[in-house]
Amino acid sequence: MGHGASKRLGSVDGMCCLVREHDGLDVADQRGSPWHHSLSEAIRDFRVKGSERLPQHLLDPQWHGACGLLQTLLVGPQQHLREVTTKCDVWACDAASSPSSPRLASFTVRWSHAPLFGEIATRSHLGCEIRFAQEVRFTLMRPADWSDSEPLVVEVEGFDFEALTEIFRIRQHLKSILGANYDSEHVYQWWLDHVRAEFP
């Protein structure tokens, strides 16, 4: 399959993370490091640079947990599709020259094939699939006040969840049969009662 063609992965373990979609970040003039050819090496570099710029109380479980999620999501394509290669870049702000920069560090991966799709194993909990664009970027944002009460935010570009095709069909079906009872409680009960018959 030629460069730029889409690829579909096997199952990916279902995981959750607090992320915020970002509408674009031009780091062309900020990249100070060479492109990595090793995805795992670049993820380790991103983890280190983030750790150096965060206070100790935000490292575990928030930051290390986020990096573990990146490892799970991004290494999967190369494990399932040996022909898929990557180029990666890690950037971090200079604390001396940019002490108030809203972005602490960013990690960018460019896939040799795109888009990439990944199925999530736990479909009963998350009815969607993962979609990667040609270039995916994760940006660690500066916490508002560095306290435990503030969530650690990682902005994301080029990565999203797309609802499975059958979700639209079942949603319309449930609206028609449940009528005024179309709410989370009744939908969940219908799922428990019919899941094995409808989705053997």
Side-chain angles (χ1 to χ4, degrees):
M1 185 171 289
H3 177 82
S6 65
K7 303 290 285 183
R8 187 166 293 273
L9 313 179
S11 295
V12 177
D13 290 338
M15 298 185 68
C16 295
C17 179
L18 173 64
V19 297
R20 185 169 71 201
E21 185 177 354
H22 184 42
D23 60 4
L25 167 63
D26 182 6
V27 298
D29 59 342
Q30 300 177 358
R31 289 176 178 147
S33 60
W35 285 88
H36 293 264
H37 289 282
S38 167
L39 181 58
S40 294
E41 175 188 337
I43 294 174
R44 285 195 299 270
D45 191 16
F46 183 50
R47 181 194 291 263
V48 169
K49 291 187 183 305
S51 297
E52 292 172 345
R53 288 158 176 80
L54 290 172
Q56 188 68 31
H57 67 273
L58 290 179
L59 296 183
D60 196 9
Q62 294 194 59
W63 176 238
H64 294 317
C67 290
L69 176 64
L70 298 189
Q71 180 81 24
T72 299
L73 289 173
L74 298 178
V75 172
Q78 289 189 316
Q79 292 178 335
H80 288 271
L81 302 167
R82 297 296 183 181
E83 68 272 33
V84 173
T85 59
T86 62
K87 287 186 177 181
C88 306
D89 177 60
V90 177
W91 168 86
C93 74
D94 184 339
S97 61
S98 305
S100 60
S101 171
R103 302 177 179 94
L104 296 179
S106 69
F107 167 69
T108 305
V109 56
R110 176 176 287 274
W111 305 100
S112 59
H113 300 72
L116 294 177
F117 295 90
E119 295 179 354
I120 299 174
T122 53
R123 286 194 170 194
S124 61
H125 295 82
L126 194 59
C128 58
E129 62 184 4
I130 299 171
R131 181 185 183 278
F132 294 106
Q134 184 105 51
E135 186 169 287
V136 181
R137 180 175 298 118
F138 298 87
T139 304
L140 172 62
M141 304 302 294
R142 180 183 298 276
D145 61 8
W146 304 92
S147 69
D148 290 328
S149 61
E150 282 293 318
L152 191 63
V153 176
V154 177
E155 291 189 343
V156 180
E157 297 173 73
F159 160 71
D160 61 293
F161 296 99
E162 292 190 354
L164 299 171
T165 304
E166 56 264 38
I167 291 297
F168 299 102
R169 178 184 62 80
I170 193 172
R171 183 180 296 155
Q172 293 303 314
H173 176 61
L174 291 177
K175 285 181 177 180
S176 66
I177 64 174
L178 295 177
N181 291 325
Y182 180 74
D183 54 40
S184 58
E185 180 181 352
H186 288 89
V187 166
Y188 183 61
Q189 187 59 52
W190 181 93
W191 173 261
L192 295 178
D193 295 339
H194 299 86
V195 59
R196 298 198 181 279
E198 294 284 339
F199 302 94

